Amino acid sequence: MNKPLSPELVAPAAAPRARAAAGRAGGGSDRGGRTRELILRATQEIIAAHGLSGVSHRAIAARAQVRLSLTSYHFGSLEDLLEASFDAYRGHTQARRAALLAAAESHIAHFLATPPGADKLPAFAAALADTLARYVRAGVVEHRTDLAVECSFLFAWNLPPTLRAKVDAHSRELVQLAAQVFRRIGSRSAEVDSGLLLACIRQLEFTQVSTGEAASVETLRLTLFRLLLGLLMAGDSMPPA
């Protein structure tokens, strides 16, 4: 129960197709690397603005201001490009996930060191809700493209099988990461609790990204506090048979 949270769950998955594309780009030259980054960034911006259905080689080339042939040269098929874009999203958002993990670990350590009392669970729920609220708010305000890209992949229903497997693995990793938090504080339904928490966070994120209206930290904090406190106070409760 008291095992520290594992940072391994926030590490990005390997990207064999991206590495193969790097080889086609001339051994990872600076010029080829810059072109790849331009194409990847353009792809993510198109996904954020128009969804996955808006992605095409021609649209990407126009946005990245590169020759049309270069999108295929560096990435092959459109499926390879989408997969590389998801890998890139995973990679450059890892630092935010790691920082959230560290903050959660700090809250857990304080919770475990606090003597039993009536305010112990509400205080922990309030502290964690505040951290999560600020994380969600920062995602909407400061990292909107990344968040829109994530939502586009998570809620897509017709992804190619290889990409679908990667997205599903990413979702499972997030569930397990949240489940670690609930296990550390004694939950016996950690996966259920983590699934409910992530469902709430994703709904908050999707609503704000799709409407373009960012909720205040106070509103997010209250929503998450009430959910967390309910989960924590449920304890071992089960529905009647």
Side-chain angles (χ1 to χ4, degrees):
M1 181 186 302
N2 294 333
K3 183 179 178 181
L5 301 180
S6 171
E8 294 178 359
L9 291 177
V10 299
R17 296 190 182 189
R19 287 198 298 271
R24 293 198 300 271
S29 67
D30 289 344
R31 184 175 180 181
R34 286 195 297 272
T35 301
R36 281 174 52 81
E37 287 303 314
L38 285 173
I39 293 171
L40 282 173
R41 191 59 185 170
T43 303
Q44 292 172 338
E45 290 173 352
I46 291 171
I47 292 172
H50 305 292
L52 297 178
S53 62
V55 176
S56 69
H57 283 290
R58 189 172 299 279
I60 294 166
R63 193 173 191 96
Q65 296 185 324
V66 300
R67 294 196 307 275
L68 178 60
S69 60
L70 288 177
T71 62
S72 298
Y73 175 75
H74 283 283
F75 294 98
S77 69
L78 201 60
E79 180 179 337
D80 292 340
L81 183 48
L82 287 174
E83 188 175 336
S85 296
F86 182 73
D87 290 335
Y89 152 78
R90 286 266 291 153
H92 70 246
T93 56
Q94 180 184 356
R96 288 192 71 225
R97 293 192 295 273
L100 180 61
L101 179 67
E105 177 63 39
S106 177
H107 295 320
I108 292 170
H110 185 268
F111 173 81
L112 295 175
T114 301
D119 294 334
K120 184 173 181 176
L121 287 179
F124 175 74
L128 186 56
D130 183 71
T131 294
L132 291 173
R134 294 182 186 281
Y135 178 85
V136 172
R137 168 78 180 185
V140 175
V141 175
E142 301 171 21
H143 308 279
R144 189 185 183 283
T145 295
D146 289 333
L147 187 55
V149 167
E150 180 183 38
C151 288
S152 294
F153 281 112
L154 288 177
F155 294 106
W157 60 272
N158 59 344
L159 294 177
T162 302
L163 182 53
R164 176 80 272 165
K166 282 195 173 188
V167 174
D168 289 347
H170 172 70
S171 295
R172 288 193 298 270
E173 288 174 6
L174 294 181
V175 170
Q176 289 304 312
L177 183 62
Q180 286 189 52
V181 174
F182 286 104
R183 287 194 194 96
R184 291 284 307 283
I185 59 175
S187 172
R188 295 188 180 181
S189 301
E191 285 78 11
V192 174
D193 292 345
S194 65
L196 288 169
L197 176 60
L198 285 176
C200 177
I201 290 174
R202 285 176 178 170
Q203 182 60 42
L204 290 171
E205 291 175 332
F206 179 76
T207 299
Q208 293 174 90
V209 166
S210 60
T211 63
E213 298 179 2
S216 67
V217 171
E218 291 74 16
T219 298
L220 296 170
R221 184 192 297 123
L222 178 59
T223 301
L224 292 164
F225 170 75
R226 290 179 64 83
L227 174 62
L228 284 167
L229 187 59
L231 293 175
L232 294 171
M233 294 187 72
D236 296 333
S237 299
M238 297 292 289

